[in-house]
Amino acid sequence: MSKGIARLGWILFFIMVIITAVMAWQFIYTGKTELASDNRKALILEDFEKDFLLAEMRGFLNSVHQIIDGIEKDNMEQILSAAKDSGFSDVANVPASLRGKLPMEMKKMGFSVHRAFDQMALDAEQLGDKEHTLSQLNEILATCTACHALYRVR
Ligand code: HEC
């Protein structure tokens, strides 16, 4: 093989490596989505992934309800346990395939909600101040609605 062809081979090889790296990065960054009719980004998921995501969402709503109920009844124990239910430890159960399909931006918002619930649980235990809980919940709900405005399931 002449030197020229060998060199061309290496150049092509590096071009392939760069294209693969760009595609991998793009996938990690944008996840597996398409533009939906309502202009939100739609996640392209398998049924089991969608079921998991929506079950997690209903868990969030359940926590929100239990927390508000706890605030009304002045029951810090209930707030603590409801906030913990939606804490970060929940993230460990996310199927790896679903994790891969979520855009970076969405993952960030999801993580921040889980962390905020953990912080709420911690503060409920240490401070026992329901006004503080309410303001934390208010902040969390802003992230819930921000994510819903941007993303949906196909
Ligand atoms: C990181 C993004 C994200 C965050 C944060 C988020 N959600 Fe969602 N949620 C979604 C997506 C995507 C759907 C699917 C919506 C669709 O297809 O229209 C959804 C759906 C839901 C549903 C419908 C569930 C079903 O069975 O159909 C509920 C209820 C819900 N979310 C509650 C919440 C609450 C409460 C919070 C905050 C505590 C929250 N979500 C935070 C992304 C998010």
Side-chain angles (χ1 to χ4, degrees):
M1 196 161 49
S2 83
K3 265 188 187 166
I5 292 175
R7 216 161 126 199
L8 188 66
W10 277 109
I11 291 170
L12 284 175
F13 173 73
F14 281 116
I15 290 174
M16 293 286 285
V17 168
I18 290 167
I19 290 174
T20 310
V22 168
M23 280 170 65
W25 167 249
Q26 200 179 19
F27 183 70
I28 290 169
Y29 202 76
T30 62
K32 202 167 162 94
T33 58
E34 66 184 14
L35 194 64
S37 54
D38 59 5
N39 270 328
R40 289 189 291 173
K41 284 179 195 149
L43 301 161
I44 303 167
L45 303 179
E46 300 292 330
D47 280 349
F48 80 97
E49 295 164 337
K50 177 177 168 179
D51 291 346
F52 181 92
L53 182 81
L54 295 182
E56 193 182 41
M57 291 299 149
R58 294 192 299 277
F60 274 161
L61 186 58
N62 192 46
S63 287
V64 170
H65 179 212
Q66 290 304 310
I67 290 161
I68 292 178
D69 191 59
I71 292 174
E72 197 182 25
K73 293 180 178 145
D74 218 348
N75 184 343
M76 285 325 271
E77 276 301 314
Q78 183 175 321
I79 293 171
L80 176 76
S81 123
K84 258 193 191 155
D85 285 346
S86 289
F88 207 79
S89 61
D90 210 29
V91 174
N93 303 321
V94 179
S97 62
L98 174 58
R99 218 179 271 246
K101 288 178 183 172
L102 301 180
M104 189 77 95
E105 189 60 36
M106 192 179 164
K107 265 187 277 203
K108 272 194 209 156
M109 285 192 276
F111 285 171
S112 93
V113 166
H114 284 297
R115 285 214 189 83
F117 274 120
D118 276 334
Q119 188 64 48
M120 181 191 281
L122 199 70
D123 291 355
E125 195 166 34
Q126 295 184 345
L127 311 173
D129 174 0
K130 60 182 191 174
E131 287 298 320
H132 179 60
T133 302
L134 188 59
S135 101
Q136 285 175 313
L137 188 60
N138 189 20
E139 247 175 64
I140 289 175
L141 284 168
T143 314
C144 310
T145 53
C147 191
H148 294 152
L150 290 174
Y151 298 103
R152 59 178 273 185
V153 177
R154 185 166 67 170

